[in-house]
Amino acid sequence: RCLSDWSSDVCSSDLVPILRDLGLVRQAVTTSELASFMRSHETLPDSDRLSKLSLLIHHDLDGFVFEAIPKSRAEYYENPLKEWGLIVDRFACSWDVEEAGKCFAFGRWTACVFHLMRTVECAVLELQCFLDKPDPKAHFGSVLAKVDSLNTKTQFQDLPARLKPYRNFLIDITAPLYALKLSWRDKVSHVDGKIIPAETFTEDMALGVYNATLILMGKLATGMPSKSAIAGTI
């Protein structure tokens, strides 16, 4: 906001935190002092003082480069974990979820998909532990094959007792897992254990992957028992 439209509330609640986040500590202190002055005197400080502060702020801001984010994508940057709370708590994947949201906000579509695939990897490898036992050689394809085998080649009475209550859950996640693998997962390759995107994604594609991943991860987070429960049954 322009200096002429300042109030003490604007100074203290809006501008001071921004200046501190930018590392403009001196300007933040000066602005905070102005806010205190306005509150105590119920008036604006003299125009000369405001002008000097304005020039100081503008001078230091010349050292920064700002990138605009469309309002429609701002929430992905400002609150990237908004709908992912249960998921990140369950799978400890908050960093990749946050990076996926921020990459989407900045229009880095392929990078967004890259981080989304990493979040799915977290859940899929834990799904392997739930289905059988920890396997250092497990990967997306092997886990999906295991799920498919349990659904299509194993009679209900032949399922391990601990998996019988989860038969519907396993059936429910099979189709979205296959869709994710065939549509997006197979468009990345592994080099030295790292996921390397091999295709450029568009905004619509990235948004589709984002929403589908959120739904699938939600199913996995709510459908599987806790880590401690899984460890206690193997």
Side-chain angles (χ1 to χ4, degrees):
R1 303 186 191 187
C2 65
L3 291 176
S4 61
D5 191 39
W6 276 8
S7 66
S8 60
D9 289 338
V10 170
C11 286
S12 58
S13 65
D14 291 357
L15 186 56
V16 171
I18 293 174
L19 293 173
R20 285 175 177 163
D21 288 343
L22 290 172
L24 306 182
V25 179
R26 181 176 54 172
Q27 295 87 323
V29 171
T30 302
T31 304
S32 180
E33 291 173 350
L34 282 174
S36 298
F37 177 90
M38 285 185 277
R39 279 193 295 268
S40 61
H41 293 81
E42 298 184 351
T43 184
L44 287 172
D46 62 89
S47 59
D48 182 61
R49 192 175 184 186
L50 287 175
S51 180
K52 288 181 179 179
L53 176 59
S54 177
L55 288 173
L56 181 62
I57 291 174
H58 282 85
H59 177 269
D60 285 347
L61 287 179
D62 287 340
F64 293 83
V65 175
F66 296 91
E67 182 170 349
I69 298 175
K71 188 175 182 180
S72 61
R73 300 201 305 265
E75 187 73 9
Y76 291 92
Y77 182 85
E78 295 174 347
N79 195 6
L81 303 180
K82 181 179 180 180
E83 298 180 302
W84 295 77
L86 180 64
I87 296 167
V88 299
D89 288 344
R90 178 64 181 78
F91 297 114
C93 56
S94 60
W95 185 81
D96 277 301
V97 170
E98 183 173 350
E99 289 300 306
K102 290 184 175 181
C103 287
F104 185 79
F106 281 108
R108 312 304 293 172
W109 317 126
T110 303
C112 172
V113 174
F114 163 76
H115 286 290
L116 290 170
M117 293 302 98
R118 280 174 55 93
T119 67
V120 176
E121 290 283 334
C122 291
V124 168
L125 293 179
E126 190 164 324
L127 180 60
Q128 161 64 34
C129 298
F130 169 59
L131 297 176
D132 194 354
K133 57 185 177 180
D135 181 0
K137 296 183 180 180
H139 54 83
F140 199 109
S142 66
V143 178
L144 185 52
K146 178 70 173 179
V147 174
D148 193 37
S149 177
L150 289 170
N151 288 339
T152 62
K153 299 178 182 179
T154 308
Q155 296 294 323
F156 179 80
Q157 61 268 23
D158 296 327
L159 286 172
R162 63 186 179 80
L163 293 181
K164 287 181 178 179
Y166 298 95
R167 184 59 176 266
N168 289 336
F169 161 71
L170 295 175
I171 294 173
D172 191 36
I173 64 172
T174 301
L177 279 172
Y178 265 115
L180 186 146
K181 181 179 186 299
L182 296 175
S183 297
W184 310 306
R185 182 60 178 74
D186 288 351
K187 293 178 180 177
V188 299
S189 59
H190 283 77
V191 178
D192 295 331
K194 299 179 180 179
I195 301 175
I196 308 298
E199 177 173 323
T200 299
F201 289 80
T202 65
E203 178 176 0
D204 288 342
M205 291 170 65
L207 182 59
V209 178
Y210 186 97
N211 291 333
T213 302
L214 175 60
I215 293 172
L216 174 58
M217 291 291 288
K219 289 176 183 281
L220 292 168
T222 57
M224 282 194 289
S226 65
K227 288 184 179 182
S228 58
I230 291 175
T233 59
I234 297 177

